[in-house]
Amino acid sequence: MAQLQIQTEGFDHQLLDLRLGMNRVGRSPDADFPIAHSTVSALHCELILRDSGVTVRDLDSTNGTFINDEPVTEAGLSAGQTLRLGDVELHVENVDVIVAIPKYHRTDLPAPPVVVNDGKLVCPRHRLAHVSYQCTVCKEVMCDACVHQLRRQGGKKVLLLCPLCSGAVEPFGTRAPVKKSLFARVAETVKLKFKHTVNLDDGSE
């Protein structure tokens, strides 16, 4: 993160670690970075840290704000420059903005199913139960105890829903029947009619 170090004697090279946004510097104890020196105003300046860098803004101080001995009311800061507030000098160590994004590890995901000796899957949430259902949406497998049951008001049919995504579930291992093509259905119809005709002819002789 952006830092400035006080070079003036008596401050033990104090570091100012800037936070994102506005940082008020001055003699007042209410300042974000108090500097107890007679030439520093109560609220002397603001150091504004953005992703584009650091900007210093003078707050009508009595003894002025300077960058490399040039008076400024508002200006950008660069690493290596000297910022002076009255008679107090600060060295600009860096103006970098480092935003650390913490890694997020989900802990609510179930463990993958385990295959036991009989070839059946063990439920990821209930280790003593076999998998009996699978979600048609997220493909999660589950046992009977995992399935959420929902009965519509006034209805008799019970909806079986996935505990993770609320999608419909179906018995594990089932597959939808394969629909026959129009050509296949026509071929079967012709075959049946032909067989029926042959049987009639055989019976008439």
Side-chain angles (χ1 to χ4, degrees):
M1 197 64 76
Q3 288 183 327
L4 291 86
Q5 186 181 67
I6 301 179
Q7 301 294 310
T8 303
E9 291 184 5
F11 290 92
D12 297 326
H13 300 286
Q14 178 184 339
L15 279 176
L16 277 63
D17 291 311
L18 303 186
R19 299 181 293 270
L20 281 172
M22 184 180 67
N23 300 264
R24 298 179 302 168
V25 182
R27 193 177 66 255
S28 170
D30 294 330
D32 297 305
F33 295 100
I35 298 178
H37 195 277
S38 60
T39 62
V40 175
S41 297
L43 290 177
H44 196 103
C45 69
E46 293 173 346
L47 296 173
I48 306 165
L49 178 60
R50 304 185 181 94
D51 55 0
S52 57
V54 178
T55 300
V56 58
R57 180 186 298 156
D58 184 75
L59 297 177
D60 296 324
S61 62
T62 302
N63 295 305
T65 299
F66 303 82
I67 297 178
N68 293 343
D69 289 328
E70 293 291 331
V72 297
T73 54
E74 184 170 339
L77 285 177
S78 300
Q81 290 181 327
T82 298
L83 174 67
R84 181 161 60 84
L85 311 179
D87 292 337
V88 177
E89 290 189 350
L90 301 93
H91 182 260
V92 182
E93 298 289 317
N94 66 75
V95 293
D96 298 332
V97 179
I98 302 174
V99 180
I101 302 176
K103 294 183 178 180
Y104 176 67
H105 299 283
R106 290 192 62 180
T107 58
D108 58 334
L109 294 177
V114 176
V115 181
V116 293
N117 293 333
D118 59 3
K120 295 182 179 179
L121 293 181
V122 175
C123 176
R125 284 160 294 276
H126 303 94
R127 290 299 181 180
L128 299 180
H130 289 158
V131 168
S132 53
Y133 287 94
Q134 183 174 27
C135 179
T136 58
V137 179
C138 69
K139 305 305 178 184
E140 172 69 1
V141 293
M142 64 206 73
C143 67
D144 293 343
C146 293
V147 178
H148 290 176
Q149 297 186 8
L150 178 65
R151 187 187 300 275
R152 292 177 178 174
Q153 186 175 6
K156 296 182 178 180
K157 185 177 180 180
V158 177
L159 299 178
L160 304 180
L161 304 177
C162 173
L164 298 185
C165 72
S166 297
V169 301
E170 64 181 5
F172 180 69
T174 61
R175 294 183 179 180
V178 179
K179 293 183 179 180
K180 296 181 180 179
S181 64
L182 177 61
F183 178 79
R185 293 200 300 270
V186 171
E188 287 185 356
T189 303
V190 172
K191 184 177 179 181
L192 288 173
K193 287 184 177 180
F194 178 75
K195 183 177 180 180
H196 182 67
T197 303
V198 171
N199 289 338
L200 288 177
D201 291 341
D202 291 342
S204 61
E205 290 181 357

